[in-house]
Every structure is written in C-alpha cells, then in structure tokens.
Amino acid sequence: MKKFLLTLSLCIPLTFLCSCSLFSSSNNKSSSSTQIDFNKNIDTKNNSVKLNLNKSVTVDAKLNIPKQLSSFKMNKVKAHRPLIDSEKAKDFFFKKGTHLTKQLDKGYSSREIGDYDIDLYYNADDSVLSCEKMDIIYTDFNIDSILKCVYTNPEIDSYNLDKYSLTDNLPFASREEVFQKIKNAYKTLSNVQISDDYQAYALDYKTLKKEEVPTDVYGDIQESERKQNWSHDDDTYYFILHQSINNVPIRQQGYGDGYDGTGVDDTSLEVYYSKNGWISFDERWAYIFEETTEEQTILNINEALNCLKRKYELIASLESCTFTEMNLELAPVFIKDNNYEIRPIWSFKKSQDSSSSSDTEVIFDGITGKELIQ
C-alpha cells in the first residue's frame, strides 16, 4: 500500500502553569517501579528539564505545553476514520457528463474495515481521482508543472517553499475565500473538520517560472520539458492544513505500524487550488471527532519523566543519547476496528547526533503512560 508523507505546536511558558498541576501525582497512574521526584530538575521559569536518567541517557530539554492542556485535564475525544462515498467524490471533482474510465485496484485490507478495493477514475485530460475507502487523492493534469517549481521538503537542497509568500493574495481570489471552499470540500466529501489555523503559500506565476526545474519522468533535467507560457492562469495557492481539538493541533506525524499494528500513519491534508479550480486535493488519515464530557487526567511532567526513566531501566546497554525536546501534544491512538481516541501524548525527541539509532523520538500515551512504539 502506498504511504505518503506536517506538525504544528502551540506552546506557552510554564511560568503560567500552577505548580500543583505540574507536579502532583495522578490517582489513576500506577507502576511497579517507584516514582522518583524530579521536581528539582524542572525549571518552570525557563521551560526546561535537565537531568541524568543514567550513565548513558541525559535529558536537557525544552518544555512545550499547549495552554489548553496546562491544567493536565482533558475530556475524552472519540474518533474514527471517514468512509468515503466514491460516487459523491467523483461528482464533486468532475463535471457532469465527463467521460471517465473507472478501474478497481483490488486486494487491499485494513484493520478498520477489512478487505477493500480502491476506486480509480481517469479523465482524458490526465486528471485522476483515487478513493481509497478512507482516503481521497485528486490530481489535475496541471500538477506536474506546479511540482517542478515547488519543493516542500526543508531537508533537501532544492527546498524553495520560502520563496513564496504566506501573506500575499493572488489576483483571482483571497486566500481566505479559497480556504472556505476547501473547508467546505472536506466537510462535504468526508465530514472531516479542518482547523481555521492554516498555512497558504501564494504560488504566483512569475516566481513559479523563475523556480521551475524542467525534469523528465526520470528526474533528469531536460530543457525540452520547460513550460513555455506562464500567466495569471497559473497562479495557485498551496494550502497546508490540519485538524485540532480546542485549538490544539493534532499531530500529523505517524508512529508504529498503522496497517497491521497498533500505530497510525502520517496524516496528509494538503490542497493546490488555482484560478481554474482544484489542482490537487489530498486527504489521508484524517479523523471524525466525537467530543464527550468524560474528564481524563493527563500525566504531569514528573510522571512523564518517570515513564522515560522506566523505559531505560529495562535496557542493559545503550549508546549515549540526549533528549532535547519534551512536548505535550495531541495525537490519534488506535483502540479497535475503526475506533480511535484523540489523546494527549508526551514526546521526547533526541538530539540528532546523540545516537546512531533510527529511533529519534520516544512517545508515551499521556493517559495510560504506555509507550507508543515508533
């Protein structure tokens, strides 16, 4: 199965957190290991934690806690992945009467819905719609020329997203007008609620022309592949979207095995929209929420540090590593079948040069204290 590849954080100084919320023990958390009091290692003024868990493991971390979670209380949020009506999606993206070729990509299975097929719709102009029962991907034929001009991965040398404006409006419509269309589209197609806090890059045609790298299907630069005519018709917005609960972003980076295991895959909510309409629409691993009134207690900082301590008590030998970030986030947690919860999680991130291990992050369920395997 194809897996594809965003995360935002809202943080406040811990100075505003009440000390009793930060350090008091929760009644519903228990462990066979004795809890250690790390209060002296927690600097609320500078939002940091410094301690040595053992001879090999050090925490020298910046603390990030969203204001909305600073009480370490949160109502349970149930969730499930949407079930896509492929006929509705087809009618949404293609004009009535468009001659489409439909194919079934068979032989898939998921823990949520069991066996299924992917519905694929092909238009003569090379636009394609893929309905994967719980995910939607639409691409217009213009996407190829746009992607030769926009490189969104900051870890590669060709990254150039910073060349495009996050504030300018394009002539055909304001970014807010386009966002409302996009938000309504997600609601219509899958009943997925998108946060009003978004990023929208204005891909104006002059910058697109300047940034174009004319590559062929093999990735080789060929001048014959260069687009000859650019105009305002090519102006496009690139939207990076997310979901949230109480204005706290839901983590989009996955963990573990989201297909056969108990993890989740990366969430992708991105749209390219031009003067002529949809260039690309991407909805993968989104969730529909059901908020409840059942209050849950979140592991506080001291308890989260004890979770990390217990993990490394069980490891006999270990290369030295340093954790440089300690973040309280919201993330989807798989329960059973198509049942999830949006839970707080504690994320500990290692410095890039502290370990040769591929595991650069350790995550704990913020309610149960169970490690969520990467």
Side-chain angles (χ1 to χ4, degrees), residues 33-218:
S33 178
T34 303
Q35 288 269 336
I36 293 179
D37 186 353
F38 291 119
N39 290 352
K40 64 181 181 298
N41 303 103
I42 302 171
D43 185 346
T44 59
K45 184 177 181 180
N46 295 305
N47 307 323
S48 63
V49 174
K50 292 186 178 183
L51 62 95
N52 295 320
L53 290 179
N54 56 40
K55 293 181 180 180
S56 302
V57 183
T58 300
V59 179
D60 188 358
K62 185 72 174 177
L63 276 167
N64 297 297
I65 298 178
K67 180 179 179 180
Q68 299 89 327
L69 302 179
S70 61
S71 67
F72 296 95
K73 301 287 185 181
M74 176 184 171
N75 287 351
K76 177 186 286 189
V77 178
K78 298 179 181 180
H80 64 273
R81 295 180 63 193
L83 298 178
I84 307 301
D85 184 332
S86 60
E87 286 295 316
K88 179 188 287 188
K90 180 198 70 171
D91 294 341
F92 182 89
F93 286 108
F94 298 106
K95 292 180 180 179
K96 186 176 181 180
T98 301
H99 177 71
L100 300 171
T101 300
K102 181 179 180 180
Q103 293 183 2
L104 291 180
D105 191 2
K106 298 183 177 182
Y108 293 89
S109 182
S110 76
R111 65 192 181 192
E112 291 89 350
I113 60 173
D115 296 336
Y116 68 92
D117 301 326
I118 298 176
D119 296 327
L120 297 168
Y121 298 91
Y122 296 93
N123 193 4
D125 66 1
D126 291 332
S127 54
V128 181
L129 172 65
S130 171
C131 294
E132 200 170 327
K133 301 308 179 187
M134 295 177 287
D135 300 326
I136 305 174
I137 302 173
Y138 169 81
T139 55
D140 178 81
F141 64 93
N142 288 305
I143 191 62
D144 288 340
S145 61
I146 296 294
L147 294 182
K148 291 178 182 179
C149 311
V150 183
Y151 296 89
T152 62
N153 186 351
E155 297 182 359
I156 62 176
D157 293 338
S158 56
Y159 172 78
N160 66 352
L161 200 53
D162 55 348
K163 302 291 181 63
Y164 300 95
S165 175
L166 276 168
T167 57
D168 292 347
N169 287 314
L170 295 171
F172 73 89
S174 71
R175 62 189 60 236
E176 184 60 25
E177 289 173 326
V178 175
F179 172 70
Q180 292 304 321
K181 291 182 180 180
I182 292 171
K183 186 176 181 180
N184 289 335
Y186 279 96
K187 187 72 173 176
T188 299
L189 291 169
S190 58
N191 203 31
V192 164
Q193 187 66 42
I194 298 297
S195 170
D196 290 333
D197 184 16
Y198 61 85
Q199 288 181 295
Y201 290 88
L203 313 180
D204 64 284
Y205 80 92
K206 292 182 179 179
T207 307
L208 287 170
K209 180 179 180 179
K210 181 180 178 181
E211 293 295 319
E212 181 183 13
V213 179
T215 54
D216 59 20
V217 294
Y218 302 104

Side-chain angles (χ1 to χ4, degrees), residues 254-272:
Y255 58 86
D257 186 342
Y259 292 89
D260 298 317
T262 59
V264 298
D265 208 28
D266 295 330
T267 293
S268 180
L269 301 168
E270 299 184 0
V271 171
Y272 288 86

